Amino acid sequence: MLYIKNLHFKQISIIKSLIIIFGGRDMANKRITEMGLPKSIGHIFAARNIITAKDALSLTEFELMELLDVGLAQVKSALALISEMTSPRYQTVQTLLDQRKQNEYLTGHLPTQLKGLDAALCGGLPFGALTELVGPSGIGKTQFCLKLSLLAALPSCYGGLDGQVIYIDVESKFSSRRLIEIGINSFPEVFCLDGIAKEMAGRITVLRPGSLTEFTESLQEIKVSVLQYKVKLLIVDSMAALVSGEYEQGPQRQHPLGWHISFLKSLAEFSRIPVVMTNQVRSRGANQISQYIFQESTVEDDTEKFDSRLVAALGIHWAHAVNIRLVLESRSGQRFIKVAKSPMSPTLAFPFQVTSMGIILLNDDGVEMAGPQINAIDHQGHSDIIFHGDER
Ligand SMILES: Nc1ncnc2c1ncn2[C@@H]1O[C@H](COP(=O)(O)OP(=O)(O)OP(=O)(O)O)[C@@H](O)[C@H]1O
């Protein structure tokens, strides 16, 4: 207020223009009666049919003096107040950082509660970012998603985000029985409480789009729900399944989900929630040992070294679009989770198992991976570790 009152004539004119240009229609159409002007001058504005901020700010001080028949001091003070009420509040980088810290629990991460992985990712899966889980069928991507859903729904006193979860279950693989089993075994102190299993399950909304068109429509609705309700996590399991069967293999496969990638990314950034999606790999041959190199340059360099019979179902464009990529793979019958892409983490691989508690790490230290290994997906001895029992 003081700042605006002390502005020089030229500065006020600039602010007036800025409000009209950038302030947006809402600001410009704000009514002068709602601005807290002294009643005496407010009435004069109304009597001269100067109704909105835009009406007042479009005129010069001298035009207003003439029209309202009042002195320069009164006009200046009225304009300063109108300018203040209509101009968007300025924010410094510091205030933005402070707001972000205030709004984000757990320094802006969803902890996976896999200690080594959380340490590598500086706290867990970052809010406002897209995380991809990629790996061969049956490796544990859905198991990981189930655990993440529980973690987002869990009360904050138990390390959760205390929020709602939207789970897009494209292949009808979501199992409520397995979700509760993971909950009971991972968080016995929470799940022994009366009614908590029901409450946690009630926080997870499962959507099953039947086609890419239905998925596209539900994304639009999700955007509104994320803002309206306390949605703290969005999962798409799996993105690849959305296009399988509808498109042929080849470069054109990368395009059908281009819009969805951008939409999910902007949704994550805008709503500051983690968005997780799974991606499968596709095999073009029957070989047991096959690897896929994500990055275009390494595909060419290493064609002899690696047998690229597995291809990422969503292609290179997708691979570049995600912020964090966790590759789940198997080597010599042992499952590994690799931090294949992250702006702040070392390229580490952690051996893991799927148990009644869901995914657990066998070692929190992780093994540093070098060169093309980090971008390849191995599935050596994979069939030996896949559980063939009733998983639903
Ligand atoms: N109750 C359980 N106890 C131990 N392991 C289990 C249990 N339920 C599932 N698993 C393990 O999880 C694996 C299935 O993992 P998941 O369904 O997450 O695979 P996925 O990577 O999502 O596969 P797809 O790409 O086909 O969807 C099984 O093969 C098994 O090894």
Side-chain angles (χ1 to χ4, degrees):
M1 176 88 171
L2 198 70
Y3 174 70
I4 292 204
K5 268 190 176 159
N6 291 338
L7 286 176
H8 187 266
F9 170 76
K10 254 189 179 171
Q11 289 170 300
I12 290 208
S13 306
I14 292 168
I15 289 186
K16 279 163 60 180
S17 321
L18 286 174
I19 291 166
I20 292 166
I21 297 167
F22 297 114
R25 205 180 292 162
D26 288 350
M27 294 286 194
N29 288 338
K30 228 173 168 178
R31 297 177 75 83
I32 287 177
T33 47
E34 295 162 12
M35 305 224 169
L37 283 179
K39 272 195 183 142
S40 52
I41 188 108
H43 288 320
I44 304 178
F45 271 100
R48 299 293 182 275
N49 209 25
I50 302 175
I51 309 298
T52 65
K54 188 179 174 185
D55 296 340
L57 296 172
S58 303
L59 298 167
T60 65
E61 277 89 347
F62 296 110
E63 284 168 337
L64 280 171
M65 279 169 67
E66 212 174 8
L67 201 64
L68 304 176
D69 197 18
V70 295
L72 182 61
Q74 268 181 297
V75 166
K76 273 190 163 184
S77 127
L79 283 180
L81 190 63
I82 296 170
S83 303
E84 191 195 3
M85 298 299 283
T86 44
S87 56
R89 301 225 166 267
Y90 71 91
Q91 285 180 312
T92 63
V93 173
Q94 188 57 44
T95 47
L96 287 174
L97 281 172
D98 290 345
Q99 271 173 16
R100 179 167 287 194
K101 267 190 209 156
Q102 255 178 21
N103 295 341
E104 289 185 350
Y105 309 96
L106 307 164
T107 63
H109 292 85
L110 166 60
T112 64
Q113 298 210 352
L114 303 174
K115 218 168 133 203
L117 185 64
D118 284 344
L121 294 172
C122 304
L125 306 187
F127 296 176
L130 279 189
T131 299
E132 179 193 40
L133 305 177
V134 62
S137 175
I139 193 76
K141 300 182 293 293
T142 301
Q143 302 299 312
F144 200 177
C145 291
L146 294 175
K147 184 82 167 265
L148 291 172
S149 306
L150 279 173
L151 286 165
L154 221 59
S156 31
C157 53
Y158 296 104
L161 298 183
D162 204 9
Q164 302 283 325
V165 176
I166 296 180
Y167 195 115
I168 305 184
D169 179 28
V170 180
E171 294 181 292
S172 299
K173 287 191 66 189
F174 183 93
S175 161
S176 48
R177 215 176 76 186
R178 178 70 177 135
L179 179 92
I180 301 300
E181 184 194 11
I182 294 175
I184 291 170
N185 290 293
S186 306
F187 314 104
E189 71 286 12
V190 189
F191 276 74
C192 68
L193 302 173
D194 206 22
I196 199 86
K198 210 170 160 191
E199 192 185 332
M200 292 300 101
R203 291 181 176 190
I204 302 167
T205 303
V206 182
L207 304 178
R208 290 194 168 132
S211 65
L212 186 55
T213 314
E214 263 182 55
F215 174 66
T216 311
E217 283 164 10
S218 54
L219 274 188
Q220 310 273 12
E221 286 160 25
I222 283 168
K223 189 175 176 183
V224 180
S225 308
V226 164
L227 297 176
Q228 262 176 359
Y229 306 103
K230 263 179 34 180
V231 175
K232 294 288 172 68
L233 175 67
L234 171 64
I235 291 179
V236 185
D237 183 21
S238 92
M239 268 322 263
L242 281 163
V243 285
S244 64
E246 290 192 29
Y247 298 88
E248 290 302 311
Q249 283 185 25
Q252 72 272 28
R253 283 183 55 79
Q254 295 168 16
H255 303 306
L257 289 175
W259 177 86
H260 304 80
I261 298 169
S262 310
F263 188 90
L264 286 170
K265 209 163 174 171
S266 70
L267 181 67
E269 279 167 17
F270 177 65
S271 56
R272 303 295 307 159
I273 61 166
V275 174
V276 177
M277 57 277 143
T278 64
N279 184 7
Q280 287 143 331
V281 286
R282 296 165 58 89
S283 177
R284 284 191 180 146
N287 273 18
Q288 274 290 301
I289 304 168
S290 36
Q291 294 173 310
Y292 172 72
I293 321 296
F294 273 110
Q295 290 167 350
E296 279 158 303
S297 57
T298 51
V299 169
E300 279 169 26
D301 294 344
D302 298 283
T303 37
E304 284 176 22
K305 211 163 153 195
F306 293 104
D307 174 5
S308 55
R309 280 166 196 271
L310 277 190
V311 291
L314 295 172
I316 298 294
H317 176 55
W318 176 265
H320 287 297
V322 298
N323 306 95
I324 307 270
R325 171 173 304 102
L326 301 177
V327 170
L328 284 76
E329 64 174 14
S330 53
R331 274 180 270 136
S332 309
Q334 173 61 60
R335 289 172 158 107
F336 285 89
I337 184 161
K338 288 192 306 199
V339 184
K341 182 181 176 187
S342 160
M344 77 292 271
S345 315
T347 49
L348 292 173
F350 302 89
F352 77 92
Q353 259 181 8
V354 187
T355 70
S356 58
M357 297 165 71
I359 283 192
I360 55 157
L361 293 190
L362 299 178
N363 181 347
D364 283 317
D365 292 334
V367 181
E368 188 116 23
M369 310 220 68
Q373 252 190 320
I374 197 68
N375 289 310
I377 301 175
D378 214 326
H379 70 148
Q380 201 176 352
H382 185 60
S383 57
D384 302 339
I385 56 171
I386 301 303
F387 176 71
H388 295 292
D390 175 20
E391 289 163 22
R392 295 289 136 86

